[in-house]
Amino acid sequence: MKSLSHPNASARLATRAKSTLMRPLAQFAVLLAALASAPAYAWTDHDLITRQALEDVPLMQTSVAAEPAEHFLASDPAQLAKVLDGEEAWARANLPGYPVRPDALRFDEHVDRAHAVRRFLLAIRVNPEARLRLFVQDLPGITPISQSKLPWTDVTTRRSETIASELSFSAVPPGAYLTVIDVIGTASDEPDYGLDIGLWDDNSTGAGHAYGFGLQPFGNPKLDVSTQAPFHMGFFHESWLLDHAAPYLKRALPEYRVHLYQTLASYAFKSGHPYWGWRFSGWALHYVEDLTQPYHTRALPGVGSVHILFASALDLIGIHGPKTDAIQLVSNRHLELENYEYHRLHDAMLNHDQQDGLLAALANAKCDAPYGPWTNASLRNEVSLTASQKAEKIDAMLVSALPEQLVSDPRFVFTETGENVPNIAQIMQAAPPLPRRKFEAEMADVMCQVGAQTRRFVRSLPVYAPPPPQGES
Ligand SMILES: [Zn+2]
């Protein structure tokens, strides 16, 4: 007893108790980190979503001239360097845990046109293989703007397993006039073409070693599409248990990307480069829309905490089945939801079916009402909060509507279906009427939120800002 009262003994006991408590939590954390290794696109083909959501927003049918990246970036490099310095200062002051940009990557105010694109890509810490070509994504059912096609390998840094390879792109010559909706719609899908791939220190890439982001906090650092997960997901509204067991889940950077691209858009608009103003706006919008995807805001929807701890405990003693099964099931459902969204929207657009429930929901302004102007807190406190509150429900509805093999059989691996990848929208049509209707209604509500946040964000752009009252400068 005496020794127990010794301060060091108490400290040791406290440490042991704490470590006993933390051990299962650490295992829990490992489970979660592995879970987030699922591919992380969020919505498949943001272009479809953005165009439908912005259909009735003013300015979308106006024209802008396509401007090559090097022209914009080298037109006033000193001012651009100042803007990026200001952005870096903002991020350091306002983003908790922000991984600072190494000074060596600072944009060079004396850069010439030949090196401007590369220096810019390094300064904003995206994949240096990005080419920033001028292009427009062709919409299903609509005549392409040009007969000159751009191979998908010209718009993405990826060479395999990419959604870009399924899509069609028109090349755009410098100076060609495009509608704003073409520019912002196309750009809103661009961050899924590899801009955020291979940027972490453990991704075995030159950029990863140079960029200062540190080790990838969650997702599989060896699987290229998974390396973009911490930029495109945000687990900001998890349980207390999860927050404490896996604090690294909070090391997600979508807010950094949104603010950076908002700042660049604002600079481009104000300095007379509207094409780049809209293109950067589309990039920022991508992350806003990503965080309306319920599976991008909750790590384990549909899996209770007790089950997770139990599965983790079993994994610890060598029984891995329950853990790997839980991971596989959530991963399958996550991808199936995105597959459903893509096929449903794609087919409705192809058939010009504006009565389609999801297309109509995207354009429906009824979900706009509760939201005020966009602020720096909106992504975390409203967009991802709303999506996270829907995660359990949508997961349960998917389970009750789809065939058991797709949603409840861990031996089925969605990513290994290869050429036979199922069309979930088609399969859903054969679901029993009641669960199908419930799922479709919930999905329409999710799309209504996506549309509302898309319009809200776009209306916050400086091109929509009202002029200052008279008498004020
Ligand atoms: Zn994404």
Side-chain angles (χ1 to χ4, degrees):
M1 286 297 290
K2 198 177 173 189
S3 65
L4 286 184
S5 63
H6 190 279
N8 287 343
S10 301
R12 275 200 302 275
L13 271 184
T15 305
R16 195 180 306 154
K18 197 175 165 192
S19 77
T20 307
L21 174 68
M22 292 311 288
R23 204 173 298 134
L25 294 185
Q27 291 302 314
F28 178 34
V30 170
L31 172 72
L32 291 160
L35 179 74
S37 68
Y41 288 121
W43 301 121
T44 303
D45 198 355
H46 288 244
D47 190 26
L48 303 177
I49 287 173
T50 302
R51 287 172 188 256
Q52 182 69 9
L54 296 180
E55 196 183 47
D56 296 328
V57 171
L59 298 185
M60 288 297 126
Q61 300 307 326
T62 57
S63 298
V64 286
E67 181 184 16
E70 56 274 22
H71 186 277
F72 160 63
L73 297 171
S75 64
D76 189 352
Q79 191 56 30
L80 179 56
K82 213 165 138 186
V83 167
L84 288 170
D85 286 345
E87 177 63 17
E88 178 65 16
W90 178 88
R92 291 183 187 194
N94 292 285
L95 296 177
Y98 171 70
V100 301
R101 184 203 62 196
D103 289 342
L105 299 175
R106 185 179 175 273
F107 189 70
D108 177 4
E109 54 263 73
H110 304 297
V111 76
D112 58 25
R113 194 174 282 198
H115 300 97
V117 171
R118 181 163 177 86
R119 287 307 307 244
F120 177 69
L121 296 174
L122 298 178
I124 63 168
R125 292 191 284 178
V126 298
N127 191 312
E129 303 299 317
R131 297 162 79 173
L132 308 188
R133 297 284 301 261
L134 298 176
F135 68 98
V136 163
Q137 190 190 132
D138 302 327
L139 269 189
I142 307 284
T143 309
I145 63 154
S146 156
Q147 291 305 309
S148 170
K149 295 293 138 210
L150 205 59
W152 65 270
T153 45
D154 276 17
V155 305
T156 173
T157 66
R158 306 194 57 213
R159 295 293 169 262
S160 62
E161 314 168 53
T162 172
I163 54 163
S165 56
E166 311 275 319
L167 306 173
S168 166
F169 302 96
S170 285
V172 172
Y177 278 91
L178 302 169
T179 56
V180 165
I181 194 86
D182 278 337
V183 179
I184 195 170
T186 297
S188 71
D189 205 36
E190 207 175 346
D192 273 346
Y193 303 164
L195 291 182
D196 294 322
I197 283 178
L199 311 185
W200 302 95
D201 212 7
D202 46 350
N203 293 163
S204 309
T205 61
H209 296 316
Y211 278 2
F213 285 123
L215 298 178
Q216 189 175 326
F218 55 85
N220 184 346
K222 307 286 177 215
L223 183 65
D224 71 349
V225 67
S226 188
T227 65
Q228 73 176 28
F231 292 93
H232 296 233
M233 301 171 109
F235 306 115
F236 300 125
H237 305 284
E238 293 288 2
S239 65
W240 176 91
L241 181 63
L242 187 48
D243 281 348
H244 284 76
Y248 50 79
L249 286 178
K250 291 273 186 292
R251 281 184 52 218
L253 295 167
E255 290 162 308
Y256 158 59
R257 284 297 193 226
V258 169
H259 197 274
L260 170 65
Y261 297 146
Q262 242 182 333
T263 298
L264 285 166
S266 188
Y267 165 65
F269 282 126
K270 286 176 184 159
S271 58
H273 302 276
Y275 170 82
W276 281 97
W278 291 113
R279 188 151 167 181
F280 288 132
S281 299
W283 288 11
L285 197 49
H286 178 93
Y287 303 86
V288 174
E289 291 173 350
D290 267 0
L291 266 65
T292 62
Q293 210 286 42
Y295 287 98
H296 274 233
T297 59
R298 290 283 309 280
L300 289 161
V303 187
S305 299
V306 173
H307 181 91
I308 295 161
L309 286 173
F310 183 61
S312 299
L314 291 177
D315 189 62
L316 189 62
I317 58 169
I319 303 171
H320 307 302
K323 170 184 150 179
T324 49
D325 287 358
I327 291 168
Q328 193 55 58
L329 291 178
V330 176
S331 171
N332 286 345
R333 294 173 198 163
H334 177 158
L335 293 169
E336 284 157 8
L337 188 78
E338 292 169 8
N339 175 295
Y340 173 85
E341 164 266 329
Y342 173 67
H343 286 290
R344 178 81 188 261
L345 293 179
H346 178 276
D347 293 353
M349 273 204 180
L350 188 66
N351 299 320
H352 304 285
D353 180 9
Q354 287 294 322
Q355 303 307 312
D356 175 85
L358 294 201
L359 273 190
L362 277 167
N364 190 338
K366 78 171 184 192
C367 294
D368 296 20
Y371 301 111
W374 182 268
T375 71
N376 292 336
S378 298
L379 190 66
R380 183 181 294 234
N381 294 349
E382 290 159 346
V383 179
S384 75
L385 177 64
T386 304
S388 70
Q389 289 167 342
K390 289 181 174 298
E392 296 288 337
K393 203 170 171 186
I394 204 110
D395 184 80
M397 288 180 170
L398 204 59
V399 171
S400 63
L402 288 178
E404 208 176 321
Q405 190 212 4
L406 294 178
V407 287
S408 304
D409 182 356
R411 291 166 302 178
F412 174 74
V413 180
F414 193 86
T415 49
E416 291 176 5
T417 47
E419 297 288 299
N420 303 315
V421 58
N423 178 331
I424 301 297
Q426 232 169 46
I427 294 171
M428 185 65 79
Q429 283 176 4
L434 189 59
R436 175 169 60 81
R437 277 204 298 274
K438 280 187 173 176
F439 171 76
E440 286 174 346
E442 191 63 22
M443 197 58 187
D445 201 43
V446 170
M447 287 294 121
C448 195
Q449 291 294 329
V450 185
Q453 298 298 353
T454 297
R455 286 183 289 277
R456 177 191 188 200
F457 180 80
V458 166
R459 286 185 180 126
S460 77
L461 296 170
V463 282
Y464 289 94
Q470 282 193 344
E472 287 182 27
S473 59

